[in-house]
Amino acid sequence: EVQLVESGGGLVEPGGSLRLSCAASGFTFSKYYMTWVRQAPGKGLEWVSHISGDGDRSVYADNVKGRFTISRDNAKNTLYLLLNNLQTEDTAEYHCARGVPRYECSTGSACSLTDFSYWGLGTQVNVSS
């Protein structure tokens, strides 16, 4: 059975960093694009980043570009998101999901976890002083 399990969230001060992990199992991890999305309090689901199966292509939302880095270790079946220079606006529950986001999701108009065949339960990132 496909499983995605996020970890690494926590409480951090503005300007701090976290590294999120997503452990994948139950499928051939390297064959799939992987995506990070997040949901902040009072807001809808927001696309953050995605990466190709071999790691050659990665794309970021404008408001995280230059601060966040997506990566993957296919030998470990693990997806990562490094969050640098965190801001209070980054406070959200972060989910990984298998596959590429819909166009509407990656352009910021509409995202839903049900757009993906599989997703994890999420890990909470709280940025506060």
Side-chain angles (χ1 to χ4, degrees):
E1 181 179 347
V2 171
Q3 291 189 100
L4 299 169
V5 181
E6 301 94 339
S7 62
L11 176 64
V12 64
E13 294 185 354
S17 298
L18 287 171
R19 189 179 74 162
L20 309 183
S21 298
C22 171
S25 61
F27 65 99
T28 304
F29 181 67
S30 62
K31 292 184 179 293
Y32 289 86
Y33 271 76
M34 295 293 295
T35 295
W36 287 100
V37 296
R38 66 185 184 184
Q39 187 162 17
K43 296 186 177 181
L45 198 71
E46 178 187 19
W47 168 75
V48 175
S49 181
H50 62 264
I51 187 170
S52 61
D54 60 6
D56 285 349
R57 175 174 172 81
S58 58
V59 190
Y60 300 88
D62 287 342
N63 56 359
V64 307
K65 193 177 302 179
R67 299 189 298 121
F68 293 5
T69 304
I70 191 170
S71 62
R72 63 195 297 161
D73 187 338
N74 287 343
K76 296 181 178 180
N77 288 344
T78 303
L79 174 73
Y80 302 99
L81 186 68
L82 176 63
L83 300 79
N84 287 328
N85 192 23
L86 282 161
Q87 306 299 309
T88 57
E89 294 79 15
D90 297 315
T91 294
E93 187 173 63
Y94 286 71
H95 300 263
C96 66
R98 192 182 81 176
V100 65
R102 292 188 303 113
Y103 176 79
E104 292 82 2
C105 179
S106 62
T107 55
S109 61
C111 278
S112 174
L113 287 175
T114 56
D115 293 338
F116 302 91
S117 295
Y118 300 98
W119 63 89
L121 295 179
T123 186
Q124 182 68 40
V125 172
N126 290 306
V127 185
S128 177
S129 60

